[in-house]
Amino acid sequence: MLVLMFLLLELISYNVCQAHLAKCRLQGPHRPLHTYHQPGEFLIGGIVSHGAFFSSPATLTEEPPPALPEELVVVPKVYQHIVALAFAVKEINKDPHILPNITLGFQLYDSYYNARSTYLATLLLLSKVEKLVPNYIWDVENNLAGVIGGLDSEISFYVATLLDIYKIPQLIYGSAPVMNDKIPGLPFYQMAAPEALQYEGILSLLLHFRWTWIGVIAMDNDNGERFVQTISPMFTKSGVCIAFLQRIPSFRFVSEITGMLQQGATISHKILSSKANVIVANGESYSMASFKWLPYLSEHDDMANNVKSKVWISTAQIEFASFVFQRNWDSGIFNGAIAFEIHFRNPPGFHQYVVHRNPSGIDGDGFIRDFWQQAFGCVFPDITSDKVEGNICTGEEKLESLPGSFFETSMTGHSYSIHSAVYAVAHVLHTMSTSRFRHRRMAYGGRGKNQNQQFWQLHHFLRSISFNNTAGDVVFINQNGEAASSLDIVNWIIFPNQSLHRVSVGRIDPQAPPDQSFILDEDAITWHSWFNQVKYQFFYEKDWRQHLRGQRIGVAIGTKISSRDEKLVDNELKNMNDCHKCPDKDYPSKNRDACLPKDTSFLSYEEPLGISLACCSLSLSLITALVLGTFIKHHDTPIVIANNRNLTYTLLISLLLCFLCALLFIGQPEKVTCLLRQTAFGIIFSTAVSCVLAKTFMVVLAFMATKPESRMRKWVGKGLGHSILLSCSIVQVGICTVWLVTSPPYPHMDMQSVTEEIILECNEGSVTMFYCVLIYMSCLATVSFVVAFFARKLPDSFNEAKFITFSMLVFCSVWLSFIPSYLSTKGKYMVAVEIFSILASGVGLLGCIFAPKCYIIILRPELNNREQLIRKKN
């Protein structure tokens, strides 16, 4: 949808310029102001989030003006991500053991934190030419092997929607995008630890310190909503109550600043006035800069001081970063914070590479000048201007002198993920060059079009890549596209001069034994000075438990029990939802004072609906068997011979199996039945429809062959019908085989869809493959219907084409009505809908095609003779 919006904006701009040709002339999208290019035979693309433009929104009445450098606000800390990628490429090109005699290059663009710029940057990577021409390859040596980025989930999602078209791998070094039903899966690889790991780590940390009364801050976007929906039941189940939940909005335009400040003041007051002294903060990479507004937006001085009593816990996506206008802002409120960060180590030579970087010694880096000017608060002299305002940049400024919120010379977690991502692409390219694909010109033999078309094969190797990086860590990407990474628990120590010192106080390692997966050194933590004044304690009073119906309540950090505190907590709890949550297998009673067990639900043979469907299935199977027996008994009669008896027998056997396969859907789902349900149904029905298609083509070819000097006579015969049947059936068998190998169905307990029931069902595994089975079967039926419809008036002895037309009409009608019915039902009724569709479509084929023939064979045998056949033809 966002891609269409981007293209729509360009179309509107074009139409406006055509209408006002004297006022504007369309030159194409304005190129990004910042890019960093290093040529190479294999190219790694990069989408970074270095800065953002805060300007007025477009009016769509004229061509959007180009972005102005003075509207750019840089996040200086992100520049290290650019340096990390350049450093990794440099080290790989020096290594004789990885891609020998091959130069690895890169092309970086800035996303500017918005969709339009991100899509443009991605298209520029794909066009590989100075002018935006998608699908046009200009430099054959710049083959885009993969793209690294973006930093935030929304930016990664925008990039993924375009790269999915070209099947180019995307390695994400930040949080993963939120998927939805419209886009079930995109080919990206997450180099950071899965978010579920840090959710478990945060809960373990809270329970370790017995912090059961907390506040939660999240960004007001899809990623923030996913965070809230995930931790709320998890924390509540473990006895951790959420005192307040605040969503932080984001803004993009200057006109929104006033509203943002007013809304921020309200949010700030709610956060700072709460008695909950532990804040769990989740957000994007730039969120820490937004949180720094809290004490400045407060309208009360006592509230501004109260912020110092908060203990902050931040998630791994948040960087300790500042905007340039926050240069002199006090960050002391975060002193003593505990942060979850992506595990990293400093690769050899990285520190020296960073500190020796300066604007005059780097070619192709279009980011460094703006970074340098805004980070150091100076300007470079402009040769076109005589007057320079502000301090002059000499280029000799020291990066080590910048505060930790602006830049760090040691590697951070996100930079480490970028470093690993670059090496992962290089190792995959190296592996492909020495594998069996070498004989297919993937590697270094050819540099042409064929090479670029083979990069989709990188996905096969990326899902099993494992190597040791230069820092000594093992990098492994599993079949789900996730790097097996751990998280460090870090204590932030912020000094008065705003310098930052990180102290590792623990680790979360999913690969370690269960008793060692969460490690915390409490003595290594340096708390905020306020926090050190009072020993943190939690009190559990029997009379409070009784008063609050057995709830286990923790008093805020550093407070003592008093009548005021007791009354405050009591009032807050009365306004809260009950913290006790029923287990998944139970549901709350009507008065919400007890948990009742849920009933299990599935379509069984013991209920009327299941018995009725099973009886219909067996009855129709018996009827089909009788029809088959009738045709076998009269196999030498003209009506059986004229309609290709081999295809007729195959069709009847397929229909018999179709009716019987409906029984697989009845009963408690088991592993075997779940594997066989949809695949057996798809293969058997496709075979039946393939028989109908073969019979239809045989009717048409038989008529065409009767014309004088027709070349179709050589095609008429049993071999053609058998070939159509075999080839069409094999395709469906292949689809089902891929389904079972990649993501097979499995038994599943759905505890959420229905409040009072646990639905036992078969999870399809891959919904995409299920719809592929249905779509292919529908295509076969549609082709059969169309061919039979145009052939229905051909002189046919027993109206075979007309019967097939009616049968396919019934078949298509049933399955067209199946999809909305299937999607609108739940549990056993959804299964019943599919069984009914199977039986109804089978009855349509059996009745329309074979009922007239059985009538002639059994009741009008005088019509079943050769003379009648010849007379009808004449």
Side-chain angles (χ1 to χ4, degrees), residues 614-631:
C615 290
C616 290
S617 175
L618 294 175
S619 300
L620 292 173
S621 301
L622 179 61
I623 294 173
T624 307
L626 292 175
V627 174
L628 178 61
T630 302
F631 272 70

Side-chain angles (χ1 to χ4, degrees), residues 271-316:
I271 294 174
L272 303 183
S273 62
S274 173
K275 294 293 290 185
N277 291 330
V278 176
I279 299 178
V280 176
N282 173 265
E284 304 297 349
S285 59
Y286 56 84
S287 296
M288 185 57 66
S290 300
F291 298 156
K292 289 183 178 182
W293 281 91
L294 291 177
Y296 295 93
L297 293 176
S298 179
E299 298 176 354
H300 306 281
D301 293 337
D302 57 337
M303 292 301 174
N305 293 328
N306 190 36
V307 74
K308 296 180 180 180
S309 65
K310 308 298 181 183
V311 176
W312 291 76
I313 301 174
S314 69
T315 53

Side-chain angles (χ1 to χ4, degrees), residues 22 24 29 35 54 112 234 257 262 284 348 463 610 632 637 684 854:
C24 66
T35 181
F54 293 97
Y112 299 116
M234 181 190 301
I257 292 181
Q262 295 175 350
E284 304 297 349
R463 289 192 177 94
I632 293 175
T637 59
I684 295 171
C854 291

Side-chain angles (χ1 to χ4, degrees), residues 328-598:
N328 297 320
W329 287 23
D330 184 13
S331 301
I333 62 172
F334 304 109
N335 184 31
I338 300 176
F340 289 81
E341 297 188 354
I342 302 168
H343 172 71
F344 69 91
R345 294 184 184 179
N346 270 309
F350 180 74
H351 178 78
Q352 292 76 12
Y353 181 78
V354 172
V355 297
H356 289 97
R357 203 167 182 86
N358 61 75
S360 60
I362 303 170
D363 294 331
D365 187 352
F367 294 87
I368 192 169
R369 284 180 63 90
D370 281 322
F371 157 75
W372 206 272
Q373 290 182 138
Q374 298 202 26
F376 290 103
C378 60
V379 293
F380 286 103
D382 189 351
I383 59 176
T384 62
S385 176
D386 297 333
K387 186 177 180 181
V388 177
E389 297 181 0
N391 298 326
I392 303 298
C393 294
T394 64
E396 300 299 326
E397 292 82 1
K398 300 297 181 183
L399 292 174
E400 305 100 302
S401 64
L402 292 174
S405 61
F406 271 21
F407 194 78
E408 293 182 64
T409 56
S410 61
M411 186 164 276
T412 63
H414 286 122
S415 297
Y416 191 67
S417 297
I418 293 174
H419 183 270
S420 298
V422 175
Y423 268 88
V425 174
H427 277 281
V428 167
L429 290 172
H430 182 79
T431 302
M432 291 182 68
S433 69
T434 56
S435 69
R436 57 191 177 91
F437 292 97
R438 186 169 189 169
H439 300 92
R440 301 183 186 180
R441 297 171 58 92
M442 172 56 225
Y444 315 132
R447 296 278 190 268
K449 184 177 180 180
N450 293 334
Q451 184 180 14
N452 188 65
Q453 292 177 345
Q454 300 297 318
F455 280 120
W456 59 267
Q457 295 169 351
L458 286 166
H459 292 285
H460 171 73
F461 292 92
L462 275 172
R463 289 192 177 94
S464 59
I465 189 70
S466 178
F467 60 90
N468 292 327
N469 63 14
T470 56
D473 287 332
V474 177
V475 179
F476 169 69
I477 301 177
N478 59 26
Q479 291 294 325
N480 296 325
E482 298 175 342
S485 179
S486 59
L487 290 172
D488 290 334
I489 304 175
V490 177
N491 183 211
W492 288 351
I493 302 175
I494 303 172
F495 297 98
N497 63 355
Q498 304 308 306
S499 60
L500 172 68
H501 180 57
R502 284 185 172 90
V503 178
S504 179
V505 296
R507 188 172 184 180
I508 304 174
D509 189 356
Q511 310 299 324
D515 58 336
Q516 300 179 11
S517 59
F518 176 80
I519 300 174
L520 182 67
D521 184 4
E522 184 179 340
D523 296 332
I525 300 176
T526 301
W527 302 105
H528 193 282
S529 58
W530 171 89
F531 189 73
N532 284 332
Q533 294 174 6
V534 181
K535 180 66 176 178
Y536 56 92
Q537 294 178 0
F538 282 79
F539 302 92
Y540 302 94
E541 295 296 325
K542 292 182 180 179
D543 56 339
W544 282 27
R545 295 183 190 174
Q546 184 177 5
H547 177 67
L548 296 171
R549 296 191 306 240
Q551 300 265 350
R552 185 169 180 261
I553 304 301
V555 184
I557 298 175
T559 62
K560 297 180 180 180
I561 296 176
S562 64
S563 59
R564 178 179 177 275
D565 291 331
E566 182 177 353
K567 184 177 180 181
L568 178 62
V569 174
D570 186 26
N571 290 335
E572 287 194 24
L573 288 176
K574 286 181 179 179
N575 295 327
M576 288 177 57
N577 293 326
D578 196 340
C579 284
H580 176 65
K581 183 178 183 294
C582 290
D584 290 338
K585 295 184 178 181
D586 298 336
Y587 69 96
S589 62
K590 186 176 182 180
N591 295 328
R592 297 187 178 275
D593 56 0
C595 292
L596 305 177
K598 293 182 180 180

Side-chain angles (χ1 to χ4, degrees), residues 31-92:
R31 294 190 59 81
L33 292 179
H34 303 89
T35 181
Y36 190 177
H37 176 68
Q38 179 176 307
E41 292 156 295
F42 288 129
L43 197 68
I44 293 179
I47 302 294
V48 297
S49 299
H50 181 237
F53 289 98
F54 293 97
S55 57
S56 301
T59 61
L60 300 182
T61 58
E62 58 184 0
E63 181 183 2
L68 301 177
E70 54 266 25
E71 296 175 345
L72 177 69
V73 177
V74 166
V75 182
K77 194 151 193 174
V78 179
Y79 182 69
Q80 193 196 91
H81 304 168
I82 300 169
V83 177
L85 192 148
F87 172 75
V89 172
K90 171 180 171 290
E91 294 297 304
I92 291 171

Side-chain angles (χ1 to χ4, degrees), residues 233-249:
M234 181 190 301
F235 286 10
T236 302
K237 186 176 181 180
S238 299
V240 177
C241 297
I242 299 177
F244 66 84
L245 168 62
Q246 287 298 325
R247 292 178 170 86
I248 307 297

